[in-house]
Amino acid sequence: MGELKYEISQEAYMKLVLHALKHKIAAVNGVLVGRVSPQNDDVVEISDSVPLFHSHLTLLPNLEIALIMIEEHYAAQGLGIVGYFHANERFDDLELGNVAKNIGDHICRYFPQSPILLLDNKKLEALPKAKDRSPVMQFYVRDASKNWKLVGSDGNSRLTIKEPSANILLLDHISSEKWLEVVDFDDHLDDVSKDWLNPELFK
């Protein structure tokens, strides 16, 4: 495979952003679920996202349990883990830190060309004014020496949102405080009746 492009569905995209907004004063993370497109093997279709944690991001046993459950659930649909999402604790922090890099490396065991999406709060804040249709996140990939590199937003972006109106809809969900309904694995481990698949979130 050459240089892959990634296309994220509206719901997968909005769920991760809302997860970060629910825990504004904590670092949060999640995984991207999808597959290489049957029509074009240079495109990875990200069809869903799974919010993982908002505390104890570095606890490997919890991460392993979550990844196994995610893989088992989605395998029946022909899908797998294809990427990682991270939002830093501080609003003004746009650095890809060691925790994100280490978990990103771990996710690459599932899909070697997994990217890391890092929430960009400046882009998120500018959404109402900018009417921007591009994702509110930075896109990182591993280079040949397995170091994480930021891919520039020079118009040849490797990450696009499948539905062009996703950011407009995202603003509606932000104004209605939709993030309060997002369930992640931390919530599920505290109370197993809470469904980490979030089946009713956008119903």
Side-chain angles (χ1 to χ4, degrees):
M1 278 189 266
E3 193 175 83
L4 292 177
K5 289 188 179 292
Y6 294 76
E7 184 181 74
I8 187 168
S9 75
Q10 180 170 277
E11 290 193 1
Y13 169 71
M14 292 192 300
K15 195 192 301 183
L16 287 182
V17 177
L18 293 172
H19 180 222
L21 290 174
K22 182 176 182 179
H23 304 284
K24 279 185 175 176
I25 56 170
V28 306
N29 64 0
V31 293
L32 310 172
V33 176
R35 62 180 181 172
V36 175
S37 168
Q39 287 82 33
N40 182 353
D41 61 11
D42 287 333
V43 175
V44 177
E45 299 170 340
I46 301 166
S47 53
D48 204 354
S49 60
V50 181
L52 288 177
F53 306 111
H54 60 268
S55 62
H56 311 303
L57 267 63
T58 56
L59 276 182
L60 196 58
N62 287 7
L63 178 66
E64 285 288 2
I65 291 166
L67 295 178
I68 290 167
M69 288 174 68
I70 292 164
E71 278 282 298
E72 284 180 353
H73 174 81
Y74 284 97
Q77 302 168 40
L79 304 172
I81 295 168
V82 295
Y84 174 67
F85 170 85
H86 193 93
N88 286 327
E89 182 176 354
R90 291 203 333 274
F91 191 81
D92 58 349
D93 185 359
L94 290 176
E95 289 296 312
L96 191 68
N98 286 333
V99 169
K101 290 175 183 174
N102 290 341
I103 299 177
D105 288 340
H106 192 77
I107 298 294
C108 282
R109 297 179 189 175
Y110 290 80
F111 187 70
Q113 288 169 293
S114 291
I116 295 177
L117 309 187
L118 180 69
L119 187 74
D120 186 332
N121 286 307
K122 289 180 181 172
K123 285 185 181 178
L124 185 60
E125 201 174 25
L127 261 193
K129 308 174 211 64
K131 303 287 187 285
D132 194 346
R133 293 187 169 193
S134 62
V136 292
M137 42 201 58
Q138 296 180 348
F139 185 84
Y140 287 84
V141 291
R142 288 207 302 186
D143 61 18
S145 53
K146 297 191 175 178
N147 294 314
W148 289 98
K149 299 291 183 192
L150 176 64
V151 177
S153 53
D154 53 4
N156 187 27
S157 176
R158 289 175 58 188
L159 176 71
T160 55
I161 308 172
K162 191 173 182 181
E163 296 88 348
S165 59
N167 279 339
I168 297 164
L169 196 53
L170 178 61
L171 288 175
D172 289 342
H173 288 319
I174 291 171
S175 63
S176 65
E177 299 188 340
K178 187 69 158 177
W179 64 72
L180 295 171
E181 301 171 32
V182 176
V183 173
D184 64 12
F185 258 93
D186 269 335
D187 300 322
H188 175 73
L189 293 173
D190 288 340
D191 178 357
V192 292
S193 70
K194 292 183 176 177
D195 192 342
W196 54 269
L197 287 165
N198 291 280
E200 302 298 318
L201 187 61
F202 299 114
K203 289 288 190 320

